[in-house]
Amino acid sequence: MSKAYLWPSYQAGDKGRYELWVELSLACTPECGYGYNMYPANFSVTSPNGKSVTADSRSPWTSELLDKQFPVDGKWLIFVIDEPARGDYTFSVMVDSNPKVAESRVDVSTTITL
């Protein structure tokens, strides 16, 4: 993950909710085999209070093949969250229903530049 931004959501029906935008880059290890088709539903974020959401369908990145020759670089995902809780947010990637294969942390208690 290289950037994260947080601001109120102005979509219909989202009153009181926020959009957490996350920019990410992924590379496949040699054990990757034929690669993976990656979709927004493969990504989730879990708040400090334990609530988890997958990337929203309004994400500008829709899908891409991740393999040894084709890394994913500079793609944006949008997570719609309730009013943000202070603390660490866990960002997770699920591939082929396996447990987390990659994990990073986002701390929304720090300053986010809009």
Side-chain angles (χ1 to χ4, degrees):
M1 290 178 22
S2 55
K3 297 175 190 160
Y5 298 100
L6 178 71
W7 51 72
S9 175
Y10 296 104
Q11 296 286 325
D14 278 356
K15 185 175 182 176
R17 302 190 81 201
Y18 291 76
E19 291 183 2
L20 175 62
W21 285 60
V22 176
E23 183 183 51
L24 66 124
S25 297
L26 301 168
C28 210
T29 64
E31 295 81 26
C32 186
Y34 294 105
Y36 303 98
N37 288 316
M38 303 299 292
Y39 303 95
N42 291 103
F43 301 88
S44 65
V45 67
T46 304
S47 69
N49 61 16
K51 186 173 181 182
S52 183
V53 296
T54 59
D56 195 83
S57 61
R58 66 184 87 165
S59 298
W61 177 43
T62 55
S63 69
E64 193 160 332
L65 175 66
L66 170 66
D67 71 9
K68 292 177 278 191
Q69 295 178 336
F70 301 103
V72 172
D73 191 34
K75 302 297 182 177
W76 287 93
L77 294 171
I78 301 172
F79 298 91
V80 180
I81 61 174
D82 295 331
E83 187 168 340
R86 296 178 69 83
D88 291 337
Y89 280 68
T90 303
F91 177 78
S92 302
V93 181
M94 299 289 282
V95 178
D96 295 336
S97 300
N98 286 330
K100 297 176 227 166
V101 295
E103 187 174 278
S104 297
R105 292 176 100 43
V106 179
D107 183 352
V108 297
S109 67
T110 60
T111 302
I112 296 173
T113 305
L114 299 180

